[in-house]
Amino acid sequence: MKIRTALTLKNSLVTAAVFVLCLSLVYVASDRIRSKTFFHDLKSEAVTKAHLFLGGQVDSEVMQSIYLNNRKFINEVEVAVYDTSFRMLYHDAVQNDIIKEDSTMIHTIVANGDMEFYVDGYQCIGMLYDYGGMKYVVTAAAYDGYGYDNLASLLNVLIVLFVVGLSLLFVSGYYLSRAALKPIRDIVAEAENITATSISRRLPVKNEKDELGELATAFNDLLSRLEESFNSQKMFVSNVSHELRTPLAALMAELGITLQKERTPQQYRVALDNVMNDARRMNSLIDGLLNLAKADYGKEQISMQEIRLDELLLDVRECILRAHPEYRIELVFGEQDTDDDRFVTVSGNLYLLSIAFSNLIENNCKYSPDRTSFVQISFWDKWTVVRMSDNGTGLSDDERQNMFKLFYRGKQEHVAAGHGIGMALAQKIINLHQGKINVLSDEGKGTTFVVEMEHL
């Protein structure tokens, strides 16, 4: 069942229940008003007949004759008059006697005064009537045929009103729910046209402040993230294919040339050295790509721990110098006004942060004539700040802007081997830890990387 049909049915059921309740209250209220009005009229008629009889203005036989003649055509009031000792003084029709008075009823009326009751659908009253200083008991009974006919007509009107009103409410509710859900149909229709090849399309947003607008906006944001991810994947695959093709082509060419003819042991050794260098280059590229993939994990997917950045930098320095003895790394720890270790302690992943700082420091050393990196750690406010500087030739504006692009190599790519992964990887890792990374450089004045991370 579609939502619009379900909404229409539920709305109609609720409306029908409320409608029935309201119409029932109207019917009950009308019946109460009819009953109260007829009892009042019945009392007035009883007083009139009792006054006429007791005053001797009309003979009792004439009054009985009028009653018997009238009751054939209209619902005439049957009146009886008793004294307080239960002696009947007058009765319109003893043979009919709707109320069937007895001594108990008479004594009750004398003791309590007026009373109203029903007998087989007839409305009846009993009352004390004071005339000429004497008290009399007057009873009256009649059938409110006119009132019941009006009540039956009202019931028919209410039933018709219920059926017609509910039908109109159902139809109007259906079209209102259809109109209210039209934006959802538009969203569904547009979403069905969005595929991997047309992921740049977006859902229509007519009103950003209503619920459907918020849903469409959230879905569009999701599409934007997916589009960015797809584009990154396409670029990544394209660049990886290009980067892997170069060492593979060199490796195959070297092996092809070597196998063309017999060579001396020395020539084979040279060829194998070249093959080994190409293999190392491929291994380095693959390691960088794997680390790049790890840096793309969400923060909740990697293990985090408390890390002292000064100790981490000491470990990174030792690892770099072990692999490159010709490098020089000068660590400078800023003066601290407190011995609290929290100012140099951050929450992060030890492996990833080690890779990030290794790449930044190695970049200093590789492109500096004296192969030196100056590393300074300090803190201010809520940030721990690490600055890594060199005395190299610096970067141009274009190189500085593209420094953190994947596979980008600057004008000095001939100075040192690389794949253009290290800087992009370092930025991803720092961003993953909600840190900031900036590069400060002018041509001929060296380069400084500034990393800021929130300490504990």
Side-chain angles (χ1 to χ4, degrees):
M1 182 183 294
K2 290 186 175 294
I3 293 178
R4 64 172 177 268
T5 305
L7 285 176
T8 303
L9 289 176
K10 291 177 181 178
N11 182 67
S12 298
L13 289 174
V14 173
T15 304
V18 175
F19 213 5
V20 166
L21 178 61
C22 292
L23 295 181
S24 299
L25 291 175
V26 169
Y27 182 81
V28 170
S30 299
D31 185 47
R32 289 175 64 88
I33 293 173
R34 178 209 61 77
S35 176
K36 185 176 181 180
T37 301
F38 193 72
F39 274 126
H40 180 270
D41 294 341
L42 193 60
K43 186 175 181 179
S44 298
E45 186 72 16
V47 169
T48 300
K49 280 192 174 184
H51 186 76
L52 289 174
F53 169 74
L54 294 173
Q57 300 178 25
V58 180
D59 185 70
S60 60
E61 293 182 356
V62 174
M63 291 177 60
Q64 289 174 343
S65 177
I66 293 173
Y67 168 77
L68 293 174
N69 289 329
N70 286 346
R71 72 185 300 271
K72 297 178 181 178
F73 307 101
I74 61 175
N75 296 315
E76 183 64 27
V77 179
E78 180 184 294
V79 177
V81 181
Y82 293 82
D83 62 14
T84 55
S85 60
F86 188 46
R87 185 169 64 89
M88 185 176 69
L89 302 177
Y90 171 79
H91 202 297
D92 276 332
V94 176
Q95 64 276 18
N96 291 330
D97 195 13
I98 298 171
I99 297 179
K100 297 180 176 57
E101 300 87 345
D102 55 22
S103 60
T104 302
M105 179 184 295
I106 298 300
H107 291 154
T108 301
I109 295 174
V110 172
N112 299 329
D114 296 352
M115 62 184 297
E116 298 175 349
F117 55 96
Y118 280 83
V119 175
D120 297 330
Y122 285 83
Q123 287 180 240
C124 308
I125 65 164
M127 56 180 290
L128 274 175
Y129 181 65
D130 191 356
Y131 185 84
M134 300 288 291
K135 291 187 180 296
Y136 300 91
V137 176
V138 179
T139 63
Y143 181 78
D144 187 13
Y146 179 75
Y148 281 120
D149 289 342
N150 287 338
L151 201 62
S153 299
L154 175 64
L155 179 61
N156 292 332
V157 171
L158 293 178
I159 292 174
V160 172
L161 180 63
F162 174 76
V163 173
V164 174
L166 189 61
S167 301
L168 292 175
L169 285 171
F170 180 85
V171 174
S172 61
Y174 179 83
Y175 282 102
L176 284 174
S177 61
R178 181 182 177 87
L181 295 175
K182 184 178 183 301
I184 294 182
R185 296 199 302 274
D186 295 340
I187 290 175
V188 172
E190 186 65 24
E192 289 176 346
N193 295 325
I194 298 176
T195 62
T197 57
S198 60
I199 199 170
S200 60
R201 300 183 66 168
R202 295 293 181 267
L203 300 180
V205 180
K206 294 184 177 180
N207 185 359
E208 295 181 355
K209 296 183 178 180
D210 63 17
E211 289 78 0
L212 292 178
E214 292 176 353
L215 174 63
T217 300
F219 198 83
N220 287 338
D221 292 341
L222 173 62
L223 289 174
S224 297
R225 293 192 294 272
L226 288 176
E227 182 181 13
E228 182 179 352
S229 178
F230 287 167
N231 292 336
S232 297
Q233 283 187 343
K234 290 179 182 178
M235 183 178 296
F236 182 80
V237 172
S238 176
N239 290 329
V240 166
S241 300
H242 178 269
E243 291 295 326
L244 286 175
R245 187 181 296 112
T246 300
L248 276 175
L251 184 63
M252 294 172 63
E254 188 68 35
L255 291 174
I257 292 174
T258 304
L259 293 173
Q260 283 180 358
K261 63 179 181 178
E262 290 292 331
R263 299 184 182 274
T264 64
Q266 183 63 30
Q267 290 174 326
Y268 277 119
R269 178 174 292 278
V270 172
L272 289 174
D273 286 340
N274 292 335
V275 170
M276 181 60 73
N277 289 334
D278 291 334
R280 288 195 183 98
R281 183 180 177 189
M282 289 182 61
N283 184 67
S284 175
L285 175 60
I286 291 172
D287 285 343
L289 294 175
L290 290 175
N291 290 328
L292 193 65
K294 292 179 182 178
D296 281 329
Y297 291 165
K299 187 175 181 180
E300 67 281 356
Q301 295 176 283
I302 60 174
S303 60
M304 308 292 279
Q305 64 186 88
E306 293 184 5
I307 301 172
R308 286 194 52 159
L309 286 183
D310 53 352
E311 294 178 355
L312 180 142
L313 291 172
L314 286 171
D315 293 338
V316 167
R317 176 179 182 274
E318 183 179 348
C319 291
I320 294 175
L321 294 180
R322 189 162 53 244
H324 304 281
E326 72 279 11
Y327 288 176
R328 289 179 58 240
I329 302 173
E330 302 290 342
L331 292 179
V332 179
F333 298 105
E335 294 184 3
Q336 301 181 11
D337 296 332
T338 176
D339 294 330
D340 194 343
D341 294 338
R342 292 184 301 108
F343 292 101
V344 291
T345 304
V346 299
S347 176
N349 181 273
L350 182 62
Y351 174 74
L352 292 177
L353 286 178
S354 297
I355 292 174
F357 285 109
S358 293
N359 289 341
L360 295 171
I361 294 173
E362 285 186 351
N363 189 277
N364 282 152
C365 296
K366 283 194 296 185
Y367 295 103
S368 176
D370 57 4
R371 298 292 188 266
T372 301
S373 175
F374 299 94
V375 182
Q376 181 184 17
I377 182 171
S378 59
F379 67 88
W380 67 277
D381 194 19
K382 63 179 181 178
W383 302 98
T384 299
V385 183
V386 181
R387 291 179 174 83
M388 291 147 285
S389 306
D390 63 47
N391 294 320
T393 57
L395 303 171
S396 64
D397 291 339
D398 183 66
E399 288 176 314
R400 190 170 61 253
Q401 293 175 2
N402 295 287
M403 169 64 69
F404 298 110
K405 287 186 177 179
L406 187 60
F407 299 116
Y408 176 78
R409 301 296 307 283
K411 298 176 182 178
Q412 301 186 59
E413 60 178 321
H414 60 279
V415 175
H419 305 286
I421 296 177
M423 294 299 98
L425 177 57
Q427 185 187 50
K428 279 183 176 289
I429 292 173
I430 299 302
N431 290 342
L432 178 65
H433 289 77
Q434 278 77 54
K436 305 175 185 177
I437 181 170
N438 293 296
V439 56
L440 308 174
S441 182
D442 291 316
E443 289 189 275
K445 296 183 180 180
T447 301
T448 299
F449 297 105
V450 180
V451 175
E452 298 179 11
M453 296 185 66
E454 191 170 350
H455 59 65
L456 298 182

